[in-house]
Amino acid sequence: MSPQPQTPDRTASSVDAVTVEIVRNGLISVTEEMKTNLMRTAYNMIIYEALDFTVGLFTAEGETVSIGLGLPMFIRGMSETVKAKIRHFGRDGIEPGDIYITNDAYLTGSHLNHITLTQPIFHEGGLIGFTCCMAHWLDIGGSMGHVTTDIYSEGLQIPILKYRSAGVVNQGLVDLIAMNVRLPSLAMGDLRAQVTAVTTGERRFLELVRRYGLQAVQQSIAVVMDNTDDAARLAVSRIPDGVYEAESFMDDDGIQIGVRVPIRVKVEVKDGRMKIDLSDVSEQVSGFYNSGITTGISCAQVAYKCLTTPHEYPVNDGSFRSLEVVMPAGRVISATRPAPMRWWMTFPMTVIDTIFKALSPAIPDSVIAGHHADLVTALLHGLMPETGQFYIANVGPLGGGWGAKSTEDGVSVTVCINDGDTHNSPTEQIESKYPILVERYELRQDSAGAGKQRGGLGANIVVTALAPMSVNTTIERAHCKPWGLEQGLAAAGNSVVIA
């Protein structure tokens, strides 16, 4: 059975509406401050500029209470990681002062670069919740410069462990991590920044509890989740009952060049509930485009959230009680060990697009046509000319064109749907830190799909190397271009040229 939120029995609440609203905004403030402190203390640009991370607050059972986006695609992976840590240590093995760590790709659903820290929250001796932070480290070891074919070549794997036990840091674990990454000073700085994020969340949530009382806060959280559930069910009830299907294709898996990878989805709407069936998505592939089952679930949840309650905050598991996701193991978005997962994020973007495509006949005014659906990022590495110091630079992610709606043009040069709040790396930062020159970053003329409402424009970026370096990039949707709806035309495909 795929991991997804359960619908609890509702009980009468004695908390008043004013307190509920205060607590609701307090929960958002907790995760926003976690996010801010992570950005202020992180060492690598992919966290503090690109915002490749997510923080969250969870119940004592691991249900999502508030997510500070970040990356929408982490929403299921973080919750399931918290639940896995609860199962691993058991309630009796969870102590005040603990912090747990893992980067298990098949649990988080993403690649090994995403390190996840989780801290329990205790109040008057009882476990009342967890804070969690998942963030992208620039390097986690492993091979560089080619398409990986198994997880073992992609870097250091960290099982569920205690980074800190009852307040005491596991220095042996810290030393092991530092010895297995190429940029240990950056890694250790980002590790400390993540500790700052989860401890901030613990402190601020406890302040909320002490101010309003544990019972009032917990009842308020239950009401917030119930209200979100009600709003989502109402939105689904407005979609005509029926079964809707669509398919799309990815260019290839990086190994079997030119062999298309099918993405097939089926959506069933009935009696105010939705079922998204991803059983017919391609089986896991040989190249590094796989992702774990929690990412497959996230594909459905991100699409569902966009269509039902896009403006309901905080994002919590109440949003998904009326959604059922069918996601068997062994697919390209539910891969099993030892499938490679380094470029995990690419295929799920098109899965979300395809869910929108399936529902376009039922709700044509609520969905968009296909978007660029790729990070379009390049990893550069080499030695700094002045010092000889090894560096890794990330150029991107870059924005592209989004599909049009039935009533308006698509937005231009915007990051892909899975990346939410992610930003591109500023030109000034890239040029000041690495031996490269950004010559142009401009709108890509005539790249939008034509139609009554045209799609958004993509971007062109031209970067010149000022010293010898290695360049690794992967571009999808070059041949399987972003599609139009209702006879709208396809957009230009993504492309990269190294000269």
Side-chain angles (χ1 to χ4, degrees), residues 79-129:
S79 176
E80 295 308 317
T81 299
V82 172
K83 292 175 183 177
K85 291 171 179 176
I86 296 171
R87 292 192 299 270
H88 182 81
F89 293 109
R91 288 298 185 99
D92 293 339
I94 295 174
E95 301 177 282
D98 285 356
I99 295 179
Y100 314 119
I101 187 171
T102 188
N103 70 342
D104 184 340
Y106 306 97
L107 177 58
T108 67
S110 61
H111 56 189
L112 298 176
N113 296 70
H114 286 148
I115 307 297
T116 305
L117 265 61
T118 305
Q119 179 167 355
I121 305 172
F122 283 84
H123 175 67
E124 296 181 352
L127 178 65
I128 63 170

Side-chain angles (χ1 to χ4, degrees), residues 78 189 191 213 297 302 309 314 319 327 336 413:
M78 281 213 301
L191 178 60
I297 303 297
V302 169
T309 55
S319 306
M327 184 72 268
T336 58
V413 193

